[in-house]
Amino acid sequence: MGKLIAKTALSTFALLIGIALILFGVLSLAAPSIMISMADDLGLDRLAAAYSVSIYNRTDRISDLADAVERNYYVGEFSECAKYGDKLKSHDDYTVYCAFRDERDSSSEITGSRIGKYDQYVSGLISVSYYKSNNKEKALATVLNALNGSFPKNNAAEYLAIVAIENQDSDFCETFANELRKLTPSSSTEKISLSEFIQLLTKVSA
């Protein structure tokens, strides 16, 4: 009798596990937004990052694309961040979205001071992702494209420089510094900041 009860219990448990797995699969395919909320609640950041890509692929909304870029960066999925980061920057609504983010973030003193302009922030994430993916040429090109001849506060170059300096990547820092010397910022403040920044890079390359 006891063996029969045990077998029945095991069969029931196995059935429940099977049903749970089926439901999990169905929700993953049909409702990734629900799954990303569950993953966030459980602290499963890497899983949430994967679902963020699924959500963007379903909605094609630029806000979901931006979310996928950030989530994948912060869980170390650098190839995904770079891939979707390029999609973000080439999106038809990118300029409008940057303006929206700048306005939204400026209302928060902490967020606004931390990331500066959104384009510089996300370009920094993308450039670091390329660097981490061993595509240093693309990493540098992303930064230079974002700077566009200027050197504003909290810019994309700072993100890339931190990683390169931490790695004591002297050859890259030398190349980086040489490219930055070609910039022609208009304001005296930017010129001073750029000069100091180049000096920082040359200390590593020396």
Side-chain angles (χ1 to χ4, degrees), residues 98-125:
C98 285
F100 161 74
R101 285 294 298 262
D102 288 341
E103 183 178 358
R104 190 193 74 177
D105 295 340
S106 66
S107 63
S108 169
E109 183 176 341
I110 295 175
T111 305
S113 63
R114 177 174 63 85
I115 68 172
K117 294 292 185 181
Y118 179 76
D119 178 51
Q120 295 298 324
Y121 163 67
V122 79
S123 296
L125 301 190

PDB file of all heavy atoms in Angstrom, residues 98-125:
ATOM      1  N   CYS A  98      16.349  60.283 -28.144  1.00  0.00           N
ATOM      2  CA  CYS A  98      17.405  60.912 -27.338  1.00  0.00           C
ATOM      3  C   CYS A  98      16.880  62.178 -26.657  1.00  0.00           C
ATOM      4  O   CYS A  98      17.153  62.410 -25.469  1.00  0.00           O
ATOM      5  CB  CYS A  98      18.607  61.256 -28.207  1.00  0.00           C
ATOM      6  SG  CYS A  98      19.623  59.845 -28.664  1.00  0.00           S
ATOM      7  N   ALA A  99      16.135  62.980 -27.394  1.00  0.00           N
ATOM      8  CA  ALA A  99      15.571  64.208 -26.827  1.00  0.00           C
ATOM      9  C   ALA A  99      14.601  63.884 -25.696  1.00  0.00           C
ATOM     10  O   ALA A  99      14.583  64.561 -24.656  1.00  0.00           O
ATOM     11  CB  ALA A  99      14.864  65.004 -27.917  1.00  0.00           C
ATOM     12  N   PHE A 100      13.811  62.837 -25.895  1.00  0.00           N
ATOM     13  CA  PHE A 100      12.868  62.398 -24.862  1.00  0.00           C
ATOM     14  C   PHE A 100      13.613  61.957 -23.608  1.00  0.00           C
ATOM     15  O   PHE A 100      13.256  62.358 -22.490  1.00  0.00           O
ATOM     16  CB  PHE A 100      12.011  61.251 -25.393  1.00  0.00           C
ATOM     17  CG  PHE A 100      11.348  60.436 -24.315  1.00  0.00           C
ATOM     18  CD1 PHE A 100      10.262  60.941 -23.601  1.00  0.00           C
ATOM     19  CD2 PHE A 100      11.814  59.166 -24.003  1.00  0.00           C
ATOM     20  CE1 PHE A 100       9.664  60.194 -22.593  1.00  0.00           C
ATOM     21  CE2 PHE A 100      11.225  58.412 -23.007  1.00  0.00           C
ATOM     22  CZ  PHE A 100      10.150  58.927 -22.298  1.00  0.00           C
ATOM     23  N   ARG A 101      14.663  61.162 -23.777  1.00  0.00           N
ATOM     24  CA  ARG A 101      15.424  60.688 -22.626  1.00  0.00           C
ATOM     25  C   ARG A 101      16.152  61.812 -21.911  1.00  0.00           C
ATOM     26  O   ARG A 101      16.230  61.841 -20.676  1.00  0.00           O
ATOM     27  CB  ARG A 101      16.416  59.610 -23.068  1.00  0.00           C
ATOM     28  CG  ARG A 101      15.797  58.263 -23.370  1.00  0.00           C
ATOM     29  CD  ARG A 101      15.208  57.608 -22.132  1.00  0.00           C
ATOM     30  NE  ARG A 101      16.225  57.351 -21.136  1.00  0.00           N
ATOM     31  CZ  ARG A 101      16.819  56.162 -20.979  1.00  0.00           C
ATOM     32  NH1 ARG A 101      16.483  55.141 -21.769  1.00  0.00           N
ATOM     33  NH2 ARG A 101      17.732  55.988 -20.037  1.00  0.00           N
ATOM     34  N   ASP A 102      16.686  62.751 -22.679  1.00  0.00           N
ATOM     35  CA  ASP A 102      17.381  63.883 -22.073  1.00  0.00           C
ATOM     36  C   ASP A 102      16.426  64.703 -21.210  1.00  0.00           C
ATOM     37  O   ASP A 102      16.774  65.124 -20.098  1.00  0.00           O
ATOM     38  CB  ASP A 102      18.001  64.779 -23.147  1.00  0.00           C
ATOM     39  CG  ASP A 102      19.207  64.130 -23.812  1.00  0.00           C
ATOM     40  OD1 ASP A 102      19.775  63.193 -23.228  1.00  0.00           O
ATOM     41  OD2 ASP A 102      19.566  64.567 -24.928  1.00  0.00           O
ATOM     42  N   GLU A 103      15.231  64.921 -21.721  1.00  0.00           N
ATOM     43  CA  GLU A 103      14.237  65.690 -20.963  1.00  0.00           C
ATOM     44  C   GLU A 103      13.790  64.925 -19.727  1.00  0.00           C
ATOM     45  O   GLU A 103      13.691  65.495 -18.642  1.00  0.00           O
ATOM     46  CB  GLU A 103      13.030  66.000 -21.846  1.00  0.00           C
ATOM     47  CG  GLU A 103      11.979  66.859 -21.141  1.00  0.00           C
ATOM     48  CD  GLU A 103      10.815  67.209 -22.049  1.00  0.00           C
ATOM     49  OE1 GLU A 103      10.830  66.826 -23.228  1.00  0.00           O
ATOM     50  OE2 GLU A 103       9.886  67.881 -21.562  1.00  0.00           O
ATOM     51  N   ARG A 104      13.557  63.640 -19.897  1.00  0.00           N
ATOM     52  CA  ARG A 104      13.107  62.827 -18.769  1.00  0.00           C
ATOM     53  C   ARG A 104      14.176  62.724 -17.701  1.00  0.00           C
ATOM     54  O   ARG A 104      13.915  62.887 -16.499  1.00  0.00           O
ATOM     55  CB  ARG A 104      12.732  61.420 -19.244  1.00  0.00           C
ATOM     56  CG  ARG A 104      12.025  60.585 -18.188  1.00  0.00           C
ATOM     57  CD  ARG A 104      11.954  59.131 -18.581  1.00  0.00           C
ATOM     58  NE  ARG A 104      13.251  58.478 -18.445  1.00  0.00           N
ATOM     59  CZ  ARG A 104      13.452  57.178 -18.669  1.00  0.00           C
ATOM     60  NH1 ARG A 104      12.456  56.425 -19.103  1.00  0.00           N
ATOM     61  NH2 ARG A 104      14.645  56.644 -18.509  1.00  0.00           N
ATOM     62  N   ASP A 105      15.414  62.467 -18.114  1.00  0.00           N
ATOM     63  CA  ASP A 105      16.497  62.274 -17.159  1.00  0.00           C
ATOM     64  C   ASP A 105      16.920  63.569 -16.477  1.00  0.00           C
ATOM     65  O   ASP A 105      17.426  63.555 -15.362  1.00  0.00           O
ATOM     66  CB  ASP A 105      17.707  61.635 -17.848  1.00  0.00           C
ATOM     67  CG  ASP A 105      17.412  60.221 -18.336  1.00  0.00           C
ATOM     68  OD1 ASP A 105      16.459  59.612 -17.828  1.00  0.00           O
ATOM     69  OD2 ASP A 105      18.122  59.746 -19.230  1.00  0.00           O
ATOM     70  N   SER A 106      16.720  64.699 -17.170  1.00  0.00           N
ATOM     71  CA  SER A 106      17.109  65.978 -16.581  1.00  0.00           C
ATOM     72  C   SER A 106      16.243  66.336 -15.386  1.00  0.00           C
ATOM     73  O   SER A 106      16.635  67.142 -14.542  1.00  0.00           O
ATOM     74  CB  SER A 106      17.022  67.093 -17.627  1.00  0.00           C
ATOM     75  OG  SER A 106      15.680  67.298 -18.026  1.00  0.00           O
ATOM     76  N   SER A 107      15.066  65.718 -15.297  1.00  0.00           N
ATOM     77  CA  SER A 107      14.176  65.982 -14.166  1.00  0.00           C
ATOM     78  C   SER A 107      14.668  65.292 -12.905  1.00  0.00           C
ATOM     79  O   SER A 107      14.232  65.602 -11.808  1.00  0.00           O
ATOM     80  CB  SER A 107      12.750  65.512 -14.483  1.00  0.00           C
ATOM     81  OG  SER A 107      12.716  64.110 -14.673  1.00  0.00           O
ATOM     82  N   SER A 108      15.597  64.348 -13.080  1.00  0.00           N
ATOM     83  CA  SER A 108      16.199  63.665 -11.940  1.00  0.00           C
ATOM     84  C   SER A 108      17.638  64.148 -11.807  1.00  0.00           C
ATOM     85  O   SER A 108      18.457  63.927 -12.675  1.00  0.00           O
ATOM     86  CB  SER A 108      16.171  62.145 -12.142  1.00  0.00           C
ATOM     87  OG  SER A 108      16.975  61.506 -11.183  1.00  0.00           O
ATOM     88  N   GLU A 109      17.930  64.802 -10.714  1.00  0.00           N
ATOM     89  CA  GLU A 109      19.279  65.351 -10.512  1.00  0.00           C
ATOM     90  C   GLU A 109      20.315  64.238 -10.502  1.00  0.00           C
ATOM     91  O   GLU A 109      21.406  64.374 -11.056  1.00  0.00           O
ATOM     92  CB  GLU A 109      19.338  66.120  -9.194  1.00  0.00           C
ATOM     93  CG  GLU A 109      20.687  66.781  -8.944  1.00  0.00           C
ATOM     94  CD  GLU A 109      20.699  67.608  -7.675  1.00  0.00           C
ATOM     95  OE1 GLU A 109      19.605  67.980  -7.183  1.00  0.00           O
ATOM     96  OE2 GLU A 109      21.793  67.872  -7.160  1.00  0.00           O
ATOM     97  N   ILE A 110      19.976  63.105  -9.895  1.00  0.00           N
ATOM     98  CA  ILE A 110      20.933  61.996  -9.795  1.00  0.00           C
ATOM     99  C   ILE A 110      21.187  61.388 -11.168  1.00  0.00           C
ATOM    100  O   ILE A 110      22.322  61.254 -11.620  1.00  0.00           O
ATOM    101  CB  ILE A 110      20.403  60.915  -8.830  1.00  0.00           C
ATOM    102  CG1 ILE A 110      20.312  61.484  -7.411  1.00  0.00           C
ATOM    103  CG2 ILE A 110      21.323  59.693  -8.847  1.00  0.00           C
ATOM    104  CD1 ILE A 110      19.697  60.538  -6.406  1.00  0.00           C
ATOM    105  N   THR A 111      20.109  61.034 -11.869  1.00  0.00           N
ATOM    106  CA  THR A 111      20.247  60.402 -13.176  1.00  0.00           C
ATOM    107  C   THR A 111      20.875  61.340 -14.184  1.00  0.00           C
ATOM    108  O   THR A 111      21.775  60.958 -14.941  1.00  0.00           O
ATOM    109  CB  THR A 111      18.872  59.935 -13.702  1.00  0.00           C
ATOM    110  OG1 THR A 111      18.268  59.084 -12.736  1.00  0.00           O
ATOM    111  CG2 THR A 111      19.024  59.187 -15.007  1.00  0.00           C
ATOM    112  N   GLY A 112      20.423  62.571 -14.201  1.00  0.00           N
ATOM    113  CA  GLY A 112      20.934  63.523 -15.172  1.00  0.00           C
ATOM    114  C   GLY A 112      22.417  63.770 -15.031  1.00  0.00           C
ATOM    115  O   GLY A 112      23.145  63.825 -16.014  1.00  0.00           O
ATOM    116  N   SER A 113      22.895  63.919 -13.792  1.00  0.00           N
ATOM    117  CA  SER A 113      24.307  64.183 -13.580  1.00  0.00           C
ATOM    118  C   SER A 113      25.155  62.942 -13.812  1.00  0.00           C
ATOM    119  O   SER A 113      26.323  63.028 -14.164  1.00  0.00           O
ATOM    120  CB  SER A 113      24.537  64.700 -12.158  1.00  0.00           C
ATOM    121  OG  SER A 113      24.164  63.716 -11.208  1.00  0.00           O
ATOM    122  N   ARG A 114      24.543  61.774 -13.658  1.00  0.00           N
ATOM    123  CA  ARG A 114      25.291  60.534 -13.791  1.00  0.00           C
ATOM    124  C   ARG A 114      25.581  60.189 -15.246  1.00  0.00           C
ATOM    125  O   ARG A 114      26.689  59.780 -15.579  1.00  0.00           O
ATOM    126  CB  ARG A 114      24.518  59.375 -13.159  1.00  0.00           C
ATOM    127  CG  ARG A 114      25.208  58.017 -13.312  1.00  0.00           C
ATOM    128  CD  ARG A 114      24.472  56.946 -12.556  1.00  0.00           C
ATOM    129  NE  ARG A 114      23.141  56.739 -13.075  1.00  0.00           N
ATOM    130  CZ  ARG A 114      22.836  55.947 -14.108  1.00  0.00           C
ATOM    131  NH1 ARG A 114      23.799  55.329 -14.742  1.00  0.00           N
ATOM    132  NH2 ARG A 114      21.593  55.791 -14.495  1.00  0.00           N
ATOM    133  N   ILE A 115      24.612  60.356 -16.115  1.00  0.00           N
ATOM    134  CA  ILE A 115      24.799  59.886 -17.478  1.00  0.00           C
ATOM    135  C   ILE A 115      24.976  60.991 -18.502  1.00  0.00           C
ATOM    136  O   ILE A 115      25.382  60.743 -19.621  1.00  0.00           O
ATOM    137  CB  ILE A 115      23.631  58.983 -17.918  1.00  0.00           C
ATOM    138  CG1 ILE A 115      22.338  59.789 -18.059  1.00  0.00           C
ATOM    139  CG2 ILE A 115      23.442  57.828 -16.973  1.00  0.00           C
ATOM    140  CD1 ILE A 115      21.201  59.003 -18.661  1.00  0.00           C
ATOM    141  N   GLY A 116      24.703  62.234 -18.154  1.00  0.00           N
ATOM    142  CA  GLY A 116      24.812  63.298 -19.132  1.00  0.00           C
ATOM    143  C   GLY A 116      23.789  63.113 -20.240  1.00  0.00           C
ATOM    144  O   GLY A 116      22.689  62.607 -20.018  1.00  0.00           O
ATOM    145  N   LYS A 117      24.155  63.480 -21.455  1.00  0.00           N
ATOM    146  CA  LYS A 117      23.265  63.322 -22.592  1.00  0.00           C
ATOM    147  C   LYS A 117      23.095  61.834 -22.915  1.00  0.00           C
ATOM    148  O   LYS A 117      24.053  61.069 -22.873  1.00  0.00           O
ATOM    149  CB  LYS A 117      23.814  64.057 -23.813  1.00  0.00           C
ATOM    150  CG  LYS A 117      23.851  65.568 -23.663  1.00  0.00           C
ATOM    151  CD  LYS A 117      22.439  66.151 -23.613  1.00  0.00           C
ATOM    152  CE  LYS A 117      22.457  67.664 -23.579  1.00  0.00           C
ATOM    153  NZ  LYS A 117      21.087  68.230 -23.516  1.00  0.00           N
ATOM    154  N   TYR A 118      21.877  61.469 -23.277  1.00  0.00           N
ATOM    155  CA  TYR A 118      21.591  60.056 -23.524  1.00  0.00           C
ATOM    156  C   TYR A 118      22.448  59.476 -24.650  1.00  0.00           C
ATOM    157  O   TYR A 118      22.945  58.349 -24.541  1.00  0.00           O
ATOM    158  CB  TYR A 118      20.106  59.862 -23.840  1.00  0.00           C
ATOM    159  CG  TYR A 118      19.766  58.419 -24.114  1.00  0.00           C
ATOM    160  CD1 TYR A 118      19.669  57.497 -23.073  1.00  0.00           C
ATOM    161  CD2 TYR A 118      19.581  57.972 -25.419  1.00  0.00           C
ATOM    162  CE1 TYR A 118      19.390  56.163 -23.325  1.00  0.00           C
ATOM    163  CE2 TYR A 118      19.300  56.636 -25.677  1.00  0.00           C
ATOM    164  CZ  TYR A 118      19.202  55.736 -24.628  1.00  0.00           C
ATOM    165  OH  TYR A 118      18.933  54.408 -24.880  1.00  0.00           O
ATOM    166  N   ASP A 119      22.628  60.234 -25.720  1.00  0.00           N
ATOM    167  CA  ASP A 119      23.421  59.727 -26.840  1.00  0.00           C
ATOM    168  C   ASP A 119      24.845  59.382 -26.405  1.00  0.00           C
ATOM    169  O   ASP A 119      25.408  58.362 -26.810  1.00  0.00           O
ATOM    170  CB  ASP A 119      23.465  60.760 -27.975  1.00  0.00           C
ATOM    171  CG  ASP A 119      24.325  60.285 -29.144  1.00  0.00           C
ATOM    172  OD1 ASP A 119      24.108  59.162 -29.621  1.00  0.00           O
ATOM    173  OD2 ASP A 119      25.218  61.044 -29.562  1.00  0.00           O
ATOM    174  N   GLN A 120      25.438  60.234 -25.553  1.00  0.00           N
ATOM    175  CA  GLN A 120      26.783  59.969 -25.055  1.00  0.00           C
ATOM    176  C   GLN A 120      26.795  58.738 -24.154  1.00  0.00           C
ATOM    177  O   GLN A 120      27.700  57.894 -24.228  1.00  0.00           O
ATOM    178  CB  GLN A 120      27.320  61.193 -24.304  1.00  0.00           C
ATOM    179  CG  GLN A 120      27.513  62.420 -25.166  1.00  0.00           C
ATOM    180  CD  GLN A 120      28.540  62.217 -26.271  1.00  0.00           C
ATOM    181  OE1 GLN A 120      29.535  61.526 -26.101  1.00  0.00           O
ATOM    182  NE2 GLN A 120      28.283  62.824 -27.425  1.00  0.00           N
ATOM    183  N   TYR A 121      25.778  58.639 -23.327  1.00  0.00           N
ATOM    184  CA  TYR A 121      25.664  57.504 -22.401  1.00  0.00           C
ATOM    185  C   TYR A 121      25.565  56.179 -23.150  1.00  0.00           C
ATOM    186  O   TYR A 121      26.355  55.255 -22.927  1.00  0.00           O
ATOM    187  CB  TYR A 121      24.440  57.712 -21.510  1.00  0.00           C
ATOM    188  CG  TYR A 121      23.951  56.475 -20.790  1.00  0.00           C
ATOM    189  CD1 TYR A 121      24.713  55.876 -19.791  1.00  0.00           C
ATOM    190  CD2 TYR A 121      22.713  55.919 -21.106  1.00  0.00           C
ATOM    191  CE1 TYR A 121      24.251  54.754 -19.125  1.00  0.00           C
ATOM    192  CE2 TYR A 121      22.237  54.794 -20.441  1.00  0.00           C
ATOM    193  CZ  TYR A 121      23.014  54.218 -19.457  1.00  0.00           C
ATOM    194  OH  TYR A 121      22.554  53.106 -18.799  1.00  0.00           O
ATOM    195  N   VAL A 122      24.603  56.086 -24.055  1.00  0.00           N
ATOM    196  CA  VAL A 122      24.388  54.806 -24.732  1.00  0.00           C
ATOM    197  C   VAL A 122      25.528  54.510 -25.699  1.00  0.00           C
ATOM    198  O   VAL A 122      25.915  53.346 -25.881  1.00  0.00           O
ATOM    199  CB  VAL A 122      23.013  54.780 -25.441  1.00  0.00           C
ATOM    200  CG1 VAL A 122      23.033  55.540 -26.768  1.00  0.00           C
ATOM    201  CG2 VAL A 122      22.537  53.351 -25.650  1.00  0.00           C
ATOM    202  N   SER A 123      26.124  55.532 -26.285  1.00  0.00           N
ATOM    203  CA  SER A 123      27.286  55.323 -27.153  1.00  0.00           C
ATOM    204  C   SER A 123      28.461  54.783 -26.340  1.00  0.00           C
ATOM    205  O   SER A 123      29.245  53.953 -26.838  1.00  0.00           O
ATOM    206  CB  SER A 123      27.682  56.621 -27.852  1.00  0.00           C
ATOM    207  OG  SER A 123      26.659  57.063 -28.731  1.00  0.00           O
ATOM    208  N   GLY A 124      28.571  55.245 -25.106  1.00  0.00           N
ATOM    209  CA  GLY A 124      29.604  54.721 -24.220  1.00  0.00           C
ATOM    210  C   GLY A 124      29.408  53.245 -23.935  1.00  0.00           C
ATOM    211  O   GLY A 124      30.361  52.458 -23.964  1.00  0.00           O
ATOM    212  N   LEU A 125      28.163  52.854 -23.669  1.00  0.00           N
ATOM    213  CA  LEU A 125      27.872  51.441 -23.418  1.00  0.00           C
ATOM    214  C   LEU A 125      28.193  50.588 -24.646  1.00  0.00           C
ATOM    215  O   LEU A 125      28.772  49.501 -24.534  1.00  0.00           O
ATOM    216  CB  LEU A 125      26.393  51.253 -23.055  1.00  0.00           C
ATOM    217  CG  LEU A 125      25.842  51.999 -21.840  1.00  0.00           C
ATOM    218  CD1 LEU A 125      24.435  51.486 -21.507  1.00  0.00           C
ATOM    219  CD2 LEU A 125      26.754  51.863 -20.637  1.00  0.00           C
TER     220      LEU A 125
END
